[in-house]
């Protein structure tokens, strides 16, 4: 992972017109990069991000955000230095079909995330012949992520609560918790929608959900797929679906997150799993 790719190709939301580019930021920050690397945890001033409201593929509106370039650069630096830890966490999930991959030099973005158009075939392949499918998602996932849950996913909740220092030697992801807050006026609730770095962070946390869910009720799951915050879980009965949903609800509540009840349902395994707009 190259921090300059995250900065130069992954700072602005994809929904902005192509005239919004950040490719020149590496040169623009060139004179202060050494100072940023040395003092990234000791900067006394948090920053405010620029808000932007746009539409999603299904026509619903979504709040996007563009961070201050200096604050975002520090976040990119941490991710690049700790990319192996991110990769190891992603590998723990057997459910995810949206794991960020490092893009090539010719790609427009810093990371490549499988699109929703691929979801239907992947769900069909992974849930096999499950008679029932539990379909659910996380309510307001990005805006509801608690920044402290970043070290929880990396080090465990109990260990993280014992040592919350941003420069901790044992809980190194405390630093990323601080950097995320620093981008948004030290708010602990939510991460920005749009920049690639926060897509990486969200997947890091969600991969921990997958591992915990499989550890607890993997014996009654026929097969499962998660794409960002959408879950498709194949089970043998409606009773099993209720058990899995209850356990997933408990896991999310431990991270201060909630199931989106309005989008939660158990469907027949023979029915199409994707939405009408995707079909």
């Amino acid at each position: 992972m190259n921090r300059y790719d995250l900065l130069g190709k992954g700072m602005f939301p994809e929904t902005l017109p192509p005239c919004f580019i950040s490719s020149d930021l590496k040169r623009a920050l060139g004179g202060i990069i050494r100072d940023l690397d040395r003092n990234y945890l000791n900067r006394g001033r948090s920053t405010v991000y620029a808000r932007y409201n746009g539409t999603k593929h299904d026509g619903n509106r979504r709040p996007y955000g563009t961070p201050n370039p200096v604050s975002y650069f520090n976040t990119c630096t941490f991710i690049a230095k700790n990319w192996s830890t991110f990769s190891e966490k992603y590998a723990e999930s057997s459910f995810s079909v949206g794991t960020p991959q490092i893009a090539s030099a010719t790609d427009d973005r810093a990371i490549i995330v499988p699109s929703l158009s691929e979801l239907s075939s992947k769900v069909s392949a992974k849930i096999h012949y499950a008679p029932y499918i539990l379909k659910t998602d996380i309510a307001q996932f990005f805006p509801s992520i608690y920044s402290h849950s970043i070290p929880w996913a990396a080090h465990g909740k109990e260990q993280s609560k014992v040592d919350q220092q941003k420069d901790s030697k044992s809980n190194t992801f405390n630093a990323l918790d601080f950097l995320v807050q620093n981008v948004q006026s030290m708010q602990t609730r939510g991460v920005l929608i749009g920049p690639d770095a926060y897509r990486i962070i969200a997947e890091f946390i969600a991969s921990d959900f997958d591992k915990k869910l499989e550890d607890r009720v993997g014996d009654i799951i026929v097969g499962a797929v998660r794409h960002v915050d959408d879950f498709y879980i194949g089970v043998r009965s409606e009773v099993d679906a209720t058990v899995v949903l209850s356990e997933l609800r408990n896991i999310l509540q431990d991270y201060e997150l909630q199931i989106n009840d309005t989008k939660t349902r158990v469907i027949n395994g023979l029915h199409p799993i994707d939405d009408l707009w995707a079909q």
Side-chain angles (χ1 to χ4, degrees):
M1 175 58 67
N2 187 321
R3 62 179 177 175
Y4 295 112
D5 284 343
L6 283 173
L7 181 71
K9 297 196 294 183
M11 190 179 83
F12 285 114
E14 290 180 291
T15 50
L16 283 176
C19 59
F20 288 89
I21 57 173
S22 55
S23 56
D24 201 38
L25 281 175
K26 178 179 179 180
R27 182 200 61 78
L29 296 178
I32 62 171
I33 285 177
R34 183 174 299 178
D35 180 61
L36 292 178
D37 285 341
R38 185 169 55 247
N39 299 310
Y40 77 107
L41 288 180
N42 297 312
R43 299 182 64 84
R45 185 177 64 185
S46 62
T47 58
V48 180
Y49 64 92
R51 292 174 172 83
Y52 164 70
N53 194 278
T55 54
K56 300 194 295 181
H57 39 251
D58 56 2
N60 293 322
R61 299 199 72 81
R62 167 176 285 180
Y64 296 92
T66 297
N68 177 286
V70 172
S71 299
Y72 184 65
F73 175 77
N74 291 329
T75 303
C76 297
T77 297
F78 182 94
I79 291 174
K81 287 182 176 180
N82 295 275
W83 182 247
S84 60
T85 304
F86 283 92
S87 297
E88 289 166 6
K89 176 61 69 174
Y90 296 157
E92 291 179 359
S93 169
S94 60
F95 299 162
S96 178
V97 295
T99 302
Q101 303 293 329
I102 299 175
S104 68
T106 57
D107 286 315
D108 293 334
R109 303 294 298 188
I111 59 172
I112 300 297
V113 178
S115 69
L116 279 170
S117 63
E118 305 173 29
L119 183 60
S120 181
S121 61
K122 290 184 177 181
V123 171
S124 297
K126 296 195 72 171
I127 65 173
H128 306 295
Y129 300 102
Y132 297 92
I133 300 171
L134 169 63
K135 182 178 180 181
T136 188
D137 71 8
I138 304 171
Q140 293 290 305
F141 183 37
F142 278 63
S144 299
I145 289 176
Y146 190 40
S147 69
H148 295 337
S149 65
I150 298 171
W152 294 355
H155 310 296
K157 192 171 183 179
E158 295 305 318
Q159 179 179 329
S160 298
K161 285 183 174 291
V162 171
D163 180 3
Q164 301 182 40
Q165 298 300 312
K166 62 184 179 182
D167 56 353
S168 171
K169 300 300 181 183
S170 57
N171 295 349
T172 54
F173 272 65
N174 287 357
L176 185 55
D177 176 7
F178 169 78
L179 294 173
V180 167
Q181 294 179 48
N182 202 48
V183 168
Q184 49 202 35
S185 303
M186 302 312 294
Q187 293 291 322
T188 58
R189 178 64 63 185
V191 299
L192 306 192
I193 300 174
D196 287 354
Y198 300 104
R199 175 67 182 83
I200 290 170
I201 292 169
E203 182 67 21
F204 181 79
I205 296 170
S207 294
D208 205 49
F209 306 156
D210 298 344
K211 180 66 165 57
K212 285 181 168 60
L213 187 64
E214 186 170 22
D215 288 345
R216 297 180 189 182
V217 291
D219 57 325
I220 62 173
I221 294 176
V222 176
V225 164
R226 177 184 56 78
H227 184 273
V228 190
D229 59 348
D230 294 314
F231 288 85
Y232 299 84
I233 303 172
V235 291
R236 297 179 180 85
S237 69
E238 293 186 62
V239 173
D240 286 349
T242 302
V243 173
V244 172
L245 179 61
S246 177
E247 198 57 57
L248 179 58
R249 195 184 300 276
N250 290 336
I251 291 170
L252 294 180
Q253 287 177 345
D254 282 343
Y255 283 80
E256 309 293 335
L257 295 167
Q258 302 294 329
I259 287 288
N260 188 339
D261 290 319
T262 62
K263 293 186 177 180
T264 298
R265 61 185 186 273
V266 179
I267 60 178
N268 189 296
L270 297 177
H271 290 174
I273 58 92
D274 47 11
D275 295 321
L276 286 175
W277 66 264
Q279 295 179 49

